[in-house]
Amino acid sequence: VTGVPEDLLRDLARQVLGALVRRGAEFGSAEDAVQEALLDATVRWPQTGTPDEPAAWLTTVARRKLVDAQRTDAARRQREQVVAAHPPTGPTEQDDDTLLLLFLCCHPALSPTAAVPLTLRAVGGLTTREIAAAYLLPEATIAQRISRAKRIVAEQELNRPGDVTVVLRVLYLIFNEGYTAGTVRVDLAAEAIRLTRLLHEAYPQPEVGGLLALMLLHHARRAARFDDNAMLVPLDEQDRPKWDRTMIAEGVQVLTAALTREQHGEYQVQAAVAALHDDAASADETDWPQILAWYDELIELTGNPLAELSRAVAIGEVDGPLAGLRAVDDVEQRLSDYHRLHAVRAHLHARAGNTARAAELFALAARSAPSTAERDHLLKRAAHVRLNGGAIDTVSRRVGIRPSC
Amino acid sequence: MPKFLLLKHYSGGPEPHDFPPINEWSPDEVTAHIKFQLDTGRMLTERGEFVDAQAVSQDGAWVRYGGPDAAPVVLDGPFPETKELVAGWFLIDVESEQRAHEVAAYVSSAPGPGGRPIHEWIEVRPVMTAPATIE
């Protein structure tokens, strides 16, 4: 799209759609109309130059498209009257519109597979093709998910203020997909951060801040998470100078502001753990006792067995690997063949010096790993402990510091 | 251009694998092997022959229809004795069957223990296409 700044278009897409929907246009057809107007803009603006009031231009074109579409649909003709000319929207209205769109796209009636692409397109301004590329799915599949999602949304009554926990969940899923992918494709992690920022501006609740901070504090480590062969680099072996200090500072700031309001939630607590990792100049300087305390709180808040597994790692650091292994035993019933359970146990056995058992468990974890990056990483771990005992450098150093086991 | 599916198997092909399982290799051997797979994907992309590449987990299940009012019949894996267990594939779009065989042989030359080619058997299956509209 030469000549048309893409970010501008994507911001405008959301604003124009928000304004149309707020003035009574049916969400599904308005979304189609805005997409068509955007296409027109990418064709015309490079020739005519970007109009002085691009939002007004897009709104006019989108409204015309909407009317055209509705002419062919007599049943909807009544509604087109509602979409009358309107004054430009101010920042407050734009925030309200963003919120309205997010509540529609992340409606509790939608499954995540439906809400995710709808949100990326209607609020994120990505094209169906870009979303398909990001998820490595055929374009027709994504197009179908979006149109089915719009049909479901059309049947719902929107009870403002909507359900922000569902919105947070959808944004979290988008971030996670981008974060685990690690390869060069449409940057879903950055996209999730952008959307969460918009939500945070419109709706600065503590958990919204918590999720934004969680994303920033993880995304900051991005450059250090994979090596040149696309192999996963675990946290304790990452080259910390590669971390993005500016992003970490922002994450800490957002998190601190959220925590002072004393309405802790799972995103704030997970962000606090991430902040403690980011704060350590080296793996050895990690404040594990504080991390352990946060995991205790996370378990109280969620009862999530995954949190208990993470807590077992922290216990292993604070009270030694044998204590960590006992904590893994306690959670095993609820996490039977989960690859992370095997991996955590393998890690603790390696630290306790049971290298044969550790190698066996790393190999077992590799078998059920959900991604090739994780599988390959676990295979290398298995090879490493078998050859060098537990002596992965940083781990052995820590054992040296804390021989309490 | 015809498409070919190049299948890698967990347990070998016409003969069983004669190299130890990857979790018994050294870390550097594992890294070299993985780098080879990535480079192969890149090479195929650069030549305009790449369609898809996936790795599939060893774990899984056999499933069949259980009847009109019954749940699906599910036999949980793993199935270590199954010789047919697919580990992953390259799907390529190439000039000829000969080129597909060339690519398969190259894939089979991936480094293993000691950096030596593993000579892994690759199953090459032509993908059926729609009938040509112009004869």
Side-chain angles (χ1 to χ4, degrees):
Chain A
V1 188
T2 46
V4 182
E6 201 173 329
D7 287 354
L8 170 71
L9 272 188
R10 294 176 49 191
D11 279 333
L12 289 173
R14 184 187 72 254
Q15 289 166 22
V16 171
L17 176 59
L20 289 177
V21 172
R22 177 153 44 87
R23 280 171 170 72
E26 193 268 319
F27 170 74
S29 9
E31 210 274 330
D32 285 336
V34 171
Q35 287 288 329
E36 287 176 38
L38 286 172
L39 263 177
D40 277 12
T42 58
V43 173
R44 284 196 217 167
W45 293 4
Q47 296 159 12
T48 61
T50 304
D52 294 337
E53 291 187 51
W57 190 97
L58 280 172
T59 308
T60 306
V61 174
R63 196 156 5 98
R64 204 180 300 136
K65 303 268 183 201
L66 195 54
V67 170
D68 285 351
Q70 285 168 344
R71 280 213 182 97
T72 65
D73 185 353
R76 286 182 181 163
R77 192 174 287 184
Q78 299 259 311
R79 287 190 198 139
E80 91 190 39
Q81 311 299 333
V82 186
V83 191
H86 58 273
T89 47
T92 315
E93 281 171 316
Q94 281 178 21
D95 280 351
D96 288 350
D97 289 352
T98 299
L99 206 51
L100 172 66
L101 290 182
L102 279 171
F103 284 143
L104 278 169
C105 294
C106 305
H107 195 283
L110 294 173
S111 71
T113 47
V116 163
L118 185 60
T119 303
L120 286 171
R121 198 169 98 153
V123 195
L126 291 176
T127 63
T128 306
R129 174 173 298 183
E130 287 168 328
I131 300 165
Y135 284 89
L136 306 176
L137 285 170
E139 193 175 338
T141 303
I142 292 292
Q144 202 51 33
R145 283 189 193 171
I146 291 173
S147 66
R148 289 167 66 115
K150 288 204 281 197
R151 237 174 289 144
I152 294 171
V153 169
E155 290 163 7
Q156 308 301 322
E157 293 277 319
L158 180 70
N159 329 306
R160 291 200 73 173
D163 190 343
V164 77
T165 57
V166 179
V167 179
L168 292 175
R169 183 80 200 139
V170 169
L171 298 177
Y172 179 81
L173 287 174
I174 295 172
F175 180 79
N176 233 5
E177 180 72 23
Y179 192 67
T180 42
T183 47
V184 189
R185 34 163 150 149
V186 173
D187 191 345
L188 286 174
E191 193 55 40
I193 289 175
R194 182 171 161 270
L195 292 170
T196 310
R197 262 190 223 285
L198 288 171
L199 175 62
H200 190 238
E201 276 162 28
Y203 196 75
Q205 293 303 301
E207 272 295 82
V208 180
L211 181 61
L212 179 57
L214 177 64
M215 290 176 179
L216 292 167
L217 292 166
H218 275 89
H219 200 59
R221 300 182 206 139
R222 188 179 175 80
R225 283 189 70 235
F226 291 91
D227 69 14
D228 297 341
N229 294 324
M231 295 281 281
L232 203 59
V233 183
L235 187 55
D236 60 355
E237 289 173 24
Q238 285 176 19
D239 184 13
R240 296 185 180 218
K242 281 192 188 160
W243 290 356
D244 184 338
R245 304 311 313 181
T246 315
M247 201 178 278
I248 291 174
E250 188 196 350
V252 168
Q253 194 199 340
V254 173
L255 175 63
T256 312
L259 287 174
T260 49
R261 297 175 59 182
E262 305 210 343
Q263 298 161 32
H264 291 188
E266 56 177 318
Y267 296 118
Q268 291 169 77
V269 173
Q270 289 181 68
V273 171
L276 286 166
H277 283 300
D278 287 354
D279 192 41
S282 70
D284 290 344
E285 290 164 69
T286 308
D287 187 346
W288 285 105
Q290 242 204 99
I291 289 176
L292 181 55
W294 280 115
Y295 276 129
D296 286 338
E297 183 170 345
L298 186 59
I299 291 160
E300 250 173 62
L301 280 167
T302 64
N304 185 340
L306 281 178
E308 288 189 45
L309 193 57
S310 301
R311 181 170 165 272
V313 176
I315 290 177
E317 298 294 338
V318 176
D319 297 326
L322 298 183
L325 283 166
R326 280 194 295 277
V328 177
D329 291 344
D330 291 342
V331 71
E332 179 165 23
Q333 287 296 313
R334 281 170 296 149
L335 273 176
S336 55
D337 195 31
Y338 186 58
H339 79 285
R340 269 200 65 208
L341 181 103
H342 302 311
V344 166
R345 212 173 239 161
H347 167 74
L348 292 164
H349 272 297
R351 287 203 42 212
N354 309 327
T355 52
R357 182 72 182 130
E360 213 174 279
L361 284 166
F362 274 128
L364 187 63
R367 264 190 85 111
S368 47
S371 74
T372 46
E374 277 174 89
R375 182 198 61 191
D376 297 344
H377 166 68
L378 290 163
L379 280 174
K380 272 182 78 177
R381 274 287 206 244
H384 210 293
V385 289
R386 215 171 358 80
L387 285 182
N388 308 344
I392 297 165
D393 299 341
T394 50
V395 171
S396 58
R397 266 209 310 285
R398 277 208 302 275
V399 175
I401 290 164
R402 254 191 292 274
S404 56
C405 54
Chain B
M1 297 216 293
K3 288 192 178 66
F4 291 88
L5 189 59
L6 273 47
L7 288 167
K8 295 151 73 77
H9 292 257
Y10 274 109
S11 333
E15 307 159 302
H17 288 158
D18 65 352
F19 51 86
I22 190 164
N23 61 305
E24 290 171 20
W25 302 3
S26 80
D28 289 345
E29 288 162 355
V30 174
T31 304
H33 184 81
I34 289 154
K35 185 173 182 314
F36 178 90
Q37 306 298 339
L38 287 172
D39 289 345
T40 304
R42 234 172 264 144
M43 176 272 287
L44 291 170
T45 305
E46 276 161 20
R47 292 184 56 119
E49 296 175 328
F50 181 87
V51 181
D52 182 42
Q54 302 289 341
V56 288
S57 168
Q58 221 170 142
D59 297 330
W62 286 99
V63 181
R64 70 166 171 82
Y65 178 50
D69 298 311
V73 179
V74 180
L75 294 179
D76 279 319
F79 309 100
E81 300 312 318
T82 313
K83 297 292 183 218
E84 299 299 320
L85 204 57
V86 170
W89 60 80
F90 283 103
L91 181 60
I92 56 175
D93 192 51
V94 291
E95 293 286 354
S96 62
E97 185 177 45
Q98 190 197 347
R99 172 62 190 153
H101 288 180
E102 223 174 88
V103 175
Y106 182 71
V107 168
S108 166
S109 76
R116 289 182 303 276
I118 53 175
H119 296 282
E120 165 187 32
W121 282 105
I122 303 294
E123 186 181 359
V124 180
R125 306 285 300 269
V127 175
M128 291 196 233
T129 54
T133 45
I134 301 165
E135 297 281 319

